[in-house]
Amino acid sequence: MPLLRDAALTDAFDRGAGHYDRLVALNPGYHSQLRRSAGRLGLADGGAGSRVLDLGCGTGASTAALAAAFPAAEIVGVDASAGMLERARAKHWPARVRFVHATAEELERAEAHGPFDAVLAAYLFRNLTDPDTVLRTVHRLLAPAGRLAVHEYALGGRRADRLMWDAVCRGVILPLGTVTGDRDLYRHLWRSVAAFDTAPAFAARLGRAGFAGVRVLPLPGWQTGLTHTFVCRRADAEADGAAPKTETGSGPGTRAEPETAVVDREAGGTPAPGAG
């Protein structure tokens, strides 16, 4: 089965929206790891005075992570799936949170106007037909020195990482997708991760899109080597005066550059689905 893209993928998420929250709830680490990635944006004073974009917000799990990490920030959640957004909007939110129905490619024409001080994108970029174009759009929407955190299934590059991912998909993700009638969506999850950038390759992609200070931070538990947080900031050539450097975490599945290596060895997490 080929990868689902564009309208076909949006339709699959619409159909799977009713089961999505129940499936990801089977993973005790799912929400805590989203909170970890949101917190890595590092906004001061609880995000007071800041605008944050949750790009690919789905049913609102990543939005809740941002709201918990930055209780004073204005948050705009954007997703292409009307079904997922319906689930998100049905939850209780403070007035500082709102949602916009738009694709990542439509951001600059949607009601999600910049500048934003920070952007979180969870489980998004491997689902895009043209991730480079969307990264450049995010760069334009960020305020000077604004921060981007990407929480993504991006394999570390070792054979062991690929074997672990295949085992989790065969043993957990595909059986659950079959039970719920969403097998095509969860098969897409399996294949999209295998076809996507490794963690070092995505870090390099961020640098090419104009982001500086790129850090690759592994997530703990079974996901080490499979899922990473990529944290970077908008680079402005005049302010930075040089091409951006890439810092790579030295946890399993990443290649460390000794002078700039970043290590994150926090523990936790268990295997579970999550097609976002």
Side-chain angles (χ1 to χ4, degrees):
M1 185 191 84
L3 290 175
L4 300 174
R5 292 299 189 200
D6 303 320
L9 182 57
T10 299
D11 289 345
F13 275 120
D14 285 344
R15 291 191 299 272
H19 300 116
Y20 189 82
D21 284 340
R22 289 194 295 275
L23 287 176
V24 299
L26 296 174
N27 179 2
Y30 183 86
H31 295 286
S32 64
Q33 296 212 13
L34 283 173
R35 290 193 296 271
R36 187 187 304 269
S37 290
R40 285 169 168 169
L41 285 166
L43 298 177
D45 301 321
S50 297
R51 300 183 71 236
V52 182
L53 175 64
D54 183 11
L55 184 55
C57 65
T59 61
S62 51
T63 316
L66 285 167
F70 306 113
E74 176 190 345
I75 300 169
V76 180
V78 175
D79 203 273
S81 167
M84 299 288 269
L85 275 181
E86 181 180 1
R87 295 279 168 174
R89 286 172 168 147
K91 299 172 183 176
H92 178 71
W93 301 101
R96 62 192 177 87
V97 176
R98 67 183 180 92
F99 294 95
V100 174
H101 182 208
T103 68
E105 295 81 1
E106 295 171 336
L107 275 176
E108 291 180 303
R109 299 191 300 274
E111 297 175 13
H113 306 294
F116 291 96
D117 300 286
V119 175
L120 174 66
Y123 306 122
L124 172 74
F125 279 98
R126 62 183 166 76
N127 288 322
L128 299 176
T129 301
D130 188 354
D132 293 320
T133 294
V134 175
L135 280 171
R136 289 191 294 269
T137 298
V138 170
H139 191 277
R140 288 193 296 271
L141 288 173
L142 279 169
R147 301 171 186 179
L148 168 65
V150 176
H151 176 104
E152 186 59 272
Y153 289 111
L155 302 182
R158 305 179 306 167
R159 182 170 182 269
D161 301 330
R162 179 64 61 91
L163 291 174
M164 179 64 167
W165 177 245
D166 287 347
V168 169
C169 288
R170 288 192 176 101
V172 180
I173 292 175
L174 289 180
L176 286 173
T178 300
V179 168
T180 61
D182 300 319
R183 185 176 177 84
D184 286 350
L185 178 59
Y186 287 89
R187 183 175 289 277
H188 165 84
L189 167 64
W190 182 7
R191 293 173 60 87
S192 67
V193 174
F196 190 56
D197 294 344
T198 62
F202 187 68
R205 188 189 293 270
L206 288 165
R208 292 193 300 272
F211 292 94
V214 181
R215 292 182 294 156
V216 182
L217 303 175
L219 289 161
W222 75 276
Q223 294 192 55
T224 301
L226 308 183
T227 312
H228 297 81
T229 316
F230 301 83
V231 184
C232 53
R233 61 181 171 81
R234 171 176 165 163
D236 294 289
E238 293 182 3
D240 293 327
K245 294 181 179 180
T246 299
E247 304 176 16
T248 309
S250 58
T254 58
R255 298 175 186 172
E257 298 176 7
E259 72 253 21
T260 56
V262 176
V263 183
D264 188 320
R265 300 190 184 279
E266 298 161 298
T270 57

